[in-house]
Amino acid sequence: MAILEIKGVTKSFGGVKAVEDVSVNVEENTLLGIIGPNGSGKTTLVNIITGFIKPDKGSVFFKGKELIGLPPYTITNLGIGRAFQMVKPFFHLPAFKNLIVPLSSKRVRSTSGGGYGDKDAIALDILEEVGFERDSSVPYKTASVLPHGYLKRLELARLISLKSEIFILDELFSGLSIAEVTSILPIIEKILFEGNTVIMIEHRLKELFRIANKVIVFNFGRIIKEGAPKEILEDEEVKKAYLGVEV
Amino acid sequence: MKNRENYRKERIDRCIKARSDDIYALSSYKEMWYLIFPRVVPIIGIAILAYFLPLYWKKVVITTCIFAMLAVSWDFLSSCGLLSLGQALFFGIGSYTAGCLNHYFHFPIYLTIPIATICGGFISTILLLPVIRLRGIYFAMVTLILPLMLARGIEATHVFGGNEGITGLSPFPNVWVELTFIIAGMWAALFALRRFISSDYGLIFVSIRDNDRATMASGINIYAFKAQALFIGSSICAFCGAFMTHLYMFTGIPVFTMEFSILPIAASAIGGIGTLAGPLLGAFILVPLSEILREFGSLRVVFYGLVLVVCVVALPEGIFHYLSRKYNEMERWVRLE
């Protein structure tokens, strides 16, 4: 059974149909890639899944439970973590204190017994996992002075600290160097290895197609193609819509 | 000075906070003094000022403390992402609660103030609960309108004494009690809030201001937290209102005036927003300043405005931010390797 079922979701902003009749099944412990030109409705779909936007029509089921109508924090507490395309750290807090907020959430408190006081240590462990050097001063620096790469890692760390079951990564690799991407890829593979599900919106197709199990292609709010990475690469329509005619 | 060529100026942050808040500080007298000094000096300073000044200036200190508390509460609310233009609302509700309890039910002073503090916070929170989803300027507009509405409502319906207000409420025994009471309240509010906001629980409030969407995506019900912040912030204002009611033995429409909303913001702006201690410092500059300038007559507002402008232009970050940065940094010359 699919862990996340999206059925006939439609959303329009004014006259523009951002997402039109989209249905996707996400199988447990797989990596679903979502690609498509800018403005094709990928982020809107993520906003609908995570409760930030209410769709005009359609429904989303997580393990058989309807998500539409629930507020974002309840959906997060159910186990759907979401990283933002535009990084949204808590700028006034040190990096490791950024994780205190998700560690204080209902989901973490109910699963870990909510011991008070050792959150800093847990936060530092998670930061080390995503590549903050523990013995340097980086985890203690205020988020506003951290470079972009670290802020992206911080987004990932937030999802890990929430013990999410579905990781929705909205253009996690945008603005990162190749070296940074190659150092983050193993973290995503580890997340998958631990039995979680990952949904990635990505423009870096090379890296995405290496790890994705299934890829869907968006254009003008509709899914124009769905299949294994290899099929997508060979599809003529996809090439035209997104990849450019010469590949 | 020695030959500067082989030396460079090094600036280090004492970084006490990052290493440890408690144990490290106890390791030496120097470090203890370093931590205690900026806290003890203002406490003792204000106490001495308050108890040895002539009566008129004692009253000024009391008023200053009230505005300082309003400013601290404004800063606390703004630290939680609630931009308020209506400290007068919370202040007025506290004042009217205490006044009514004392006038109609003859509650003694030591009951009216605590009850007004809690009830004032509670009523203010209930009033603003429907608009707690609004952000920034939209929330501010509602808080600006509500006190005006309440004032006109009381004027029109003649409830609670209408235009004349309620007079003849029980006073404090003497000026010493007034002073001790308000100064203790002010320090309690400041230090409690400062500790609260740097705790793990308090960090969530700061995170809401930094980014409410990311806080929601971290599984936090931000509306519940905003309501809590509103209750804490408005309770402090309500306490001030209740205190002032008994101080002047009067409550009436003037408690909803804009002065109680605007002055705390000015104090926070020159003191340093987001520090809690900064607004207190700002209030202790602005309120006595306005008293000193009284002898200039009409020019008072001109000079007052001038000081405000100079402060904001010269130190846009706020006086407290500047002072604390200078205090926490050490500069020394080190030999080049």
Side-chain angles (χ1 to χ4, degrees):
Chain A
M1 192 190 127
I3 190 166
L4 191 72
E5 292 172 74
I6 302 164
K7 283 184 182 164
V9 167
T10 303
K11 173 78 194 174
S12 29
F13 297 109
V16 184
K17 289 214 162 161
V19 175
E20 197 179 354
D21 195 24
V22 167
S23 301
V24 190
N25 279 355
V26 186
E27 301 297 326
E28 198 170 349
N29 199 11
T30 56
L31 195 151
L32 172 73
I34 302 180
I35 64 171
N38 288 326
S40 59
K42 299 167 302 220
T43 301
T44 307
L45 182 67
V46 170
N47 278 335
I48 289 169
I49 298 171
T50 50
F52 283 97
I53 291 178
K54 268 208 183 90
D56 303 331
K57 258 202 313 228
S59 42
V60 179
F61 295 98
F62 172 63
K63 291 179 175 171
K65 188 175 158 59
E66 169 77 274
L67 294 184
I68 303 300
L70 297 178
Y73 42 87
T74 311
I75 292 175
T76 309
N77 281 325
L78 285 173
I80 301 182
R82 180 249 170 107
F84 290 94
Q85 179 182 358
M86 311 299 266
V87 283
K88 293 189 193 300
F90 307 125
F91 281 113
H92 285 80
L93 303 180
F96 76 109
K97 290 284 185 193
N98 265 260
L99 295 187
I100 300 296
V101 179
L103 286 174
S104 310
S105 69
K106 213 169 162 186
R107 178 175 177 80
V108 178
R109 267 188 288 130
S110 59
T111 49
S112 66
Y116 201 69
D118 54 351
K119 287 199 187 105
D120 287 359
I122 302 171
L124 286 171
D125 284 346
I126 294 169
L127 282 182
E128 192 178 26
E129 206 178 306
V130 298
F132 280 67
E133 299 81 359
R134 177 185 280 262
D135 294 327
S136 71
S137 61
V138 189
Y140 305 97
K141 278 189 179 161
T142 317
S144 55
V145 302
L146 286 177
H148 188 67
Y150 279 111
L151 294 180
K152 288 277 185 183
R153 287 163 197 267
L154 201 56
E155 286 280 313
L156 200 54
R158 181 161 55 77
L159 305 194
I160 294 172
S161 61
L162 277 166
K163 300 184 180 176
S164 307
E165 287 168 55
I166 298 184
F167 287 65
I168 303 181
L169 310 175
D170 195 351
E171 298 198 20
L172 188 73
F173 294 155
S174 70
L176 297 187
S177 68
I178 302 215
E180 282 171 319
V181 170
T182 38
S183 69
I184 291 181
L185 271 176
I187 304 170
I188 294 170
E189 279 168 346
K190 190 179 165 220
I191 289 168
L192 273 172
F193 182 74
E194 283 165 353
N196 300 305
T197 312
V198 180
I199 300 174
M200 280 183 90
I201 295 181
E202 203 49 68
H203 283 306
R204 294 216 182 207
L205 304 183
K206 208 172 150 192
E207 286 84 4
L208 177 69
F209 282 18
R210 227 177 69 201
I211 50 174
N213 301 87
K214 188 169 104 174
V215 174
I216 58 178
V217 187
F218 262 73
N219 203 10
F220 299 115
R222 285 175 167 277
I223 297 179
I224 57 170
K225 184 74 187 170
E226 185 173 347
K230 220 177 165 186
E231 300 166 28
I232 299 287
L233 271 176
E234 286 159 3
D235 191 87
E236 285 301 320
E237 199 185 348
V238 175
K239 279 184 195 171
K240 244 187 239 166
Y242 182 56
L243 302 174
V245 182
E246 299 283 321
V247 181
Chain B
M1 200 70 201
K2 282 172 285 187
N3 179 17
R4 284 279 170 83
E5 272 177 17
N6 295 326
Y7 288 81
R8 70 182 173 89
K9 203 174 193 183
E10 186 189 52
R11 186 181 278 175
I12 38 176
D13 202 306
R14 294 184 81 153
C15 211
I16 290 242
K17 270 213 161 65
R19 270 184 256 172
S20 153
D21 267 324
D22 315 306
I23 297 168
Y24 179 66
L26 292 175
S27 60
S28 80
Y29 283 113
K30 199 182 158 198
E31 295 301 339
M32 277 164 73
W33 182 238
Y34 166 75
L35 285 178
I36 289 170
F37 176 76
R39 290 158 178 80
V40 160
V41 165
I43 291 176
I44 293 178
I46 290 175
I48 291 174
L49 266 180
Y51 292 112
F52 291 97
L53 281 171
L55 185 64
Y56 174 75
W57 285 99
K58 278 196 177 77
K59 293 284 184 190
V60 173
V61 170
I62 291 174
T63 317
T64 312
C65 288
I66 290 173
F67 277 111
M69 275 178 88
L70 291 179
V72 168
S73 124
W74 183 86
D75 197 32
F76 175 73
L77 286 177
S78 90
S79 296
C80 308
L82 294 161
L83 185 62
S84 152
L85 288 176
Q87 300 309 94
L89 169 71
F90 315 139
F91 186 85
I93 287 174
S95 172
Y96 263 99
T97 313
C100 292
L101 285 175
N102 190 253
H103 183 75
Y104 297 115
F105 304 101
H106 306 292
F107 276 33
I109 197 163
Y110 53 84
L111 276 181
T112 56
I113 293 184
I115 294 176
T117 305
I118 304 292
C119 284
F122 199 67
I123 296 169
S124 310
T125 312
I126 298 279
L127 272 178
L128 288 173
L129 217 47
V131 296
I132 212 157
R133 279 164 193 275
L134 300 182
R135 279 191 291 185
I137 196 75
Y138 304 102
F139 179 81
M141 268 161 60
V142 175
T143 57
L144 179 69
I145 299 280
L146 275 175
L148 300 177
M149 275 168 59
L150 282 182
R152 294 297 147 249
I154 288 170
E155 194 181 307
T157 55
H158 302 292
V159 290
F160 309 137
N163 234 343
E164 281 78 41
I166 305 170
T167 46
L169 302 172
S170 21
F172 284 95
N174 56 46
V175 73
W176 304 103
V177 177
E178 290 167 4
L179 264 178
T180 315
F181 196 65
I182 193 69
I183 290 177
M186 181 184 73
W187 290 125
L190 176 71
F191 288 117
L193 283 184
R194 266 178 80 90
R195 175 146 289 228
F196 175 72
I197 209 146
S198 56
S199 70
D200 280 359
Y201 197 76
L203 285 183
I204 297 171
F205 292 95
V206 181
S207 79
I208 292 174
R209 179 206 36 197
D210 276 1
N211 204 314
D212 54 349
R213 281 166 75 86
T215 312
M216 279 201 277
S218 303
I220 303 287
N221 181 351
I222 63 169
Y223 305 116
F225 275 86
K226 277 186 176 182
Q228 289 171 33
L230 204 52
F231 178 74
I232 296 169
S234 54
S235 291
I236 293 169
C237 295
F239 171 84
C240 295
F243 175 83
M244 197 139 167
T245 302
H246 288 291
L247 184 69
Y248 295 144
M249 301 187 283
F250 163 77
T251 182
I253 293 170
V255 295
F256 289 114
T257 47
M258 290 285 285
E259 198 189 354
F260 296 116
S261 306
I262 300 302
L263 207 138
I265 302 176
S268 306
I270 75 160
I273 290 170
T275 54
L276 296 176
L280 188 133
L281 180 66
F284 269 88
I285 293 170
L286 284 186
V287 181
L289 180 75
S290 107
E291 289 302 323
I292 292 167
L293 292 176
R294 233 170 239 286
E295 54 188 280
F296 290 100
S298 305
L299 279 178
R300 174 182 173 215
V301 179
V302 176
F303 287 118
Y304 190 71
L306 212 60
V307 172
L308 260 177
V309 170
V310 167
C311 275
V312 173
V313 171
L315 284 173
E317 56 180 345
I319 298 169
F320 189 80
H321 278 296
Y322 176 79
L323 289 180
S324 93
R325 202 178 65 237
K326 285 292 162 205
Y327 187 71
N328 288 314
E329 272 172 3
M330 290 194 300
E331 285 182 338
R332 62 178 183 189
W333 291 94
V334 287
R335 181 185 275 277
L336 288 174
E337 305 268 320

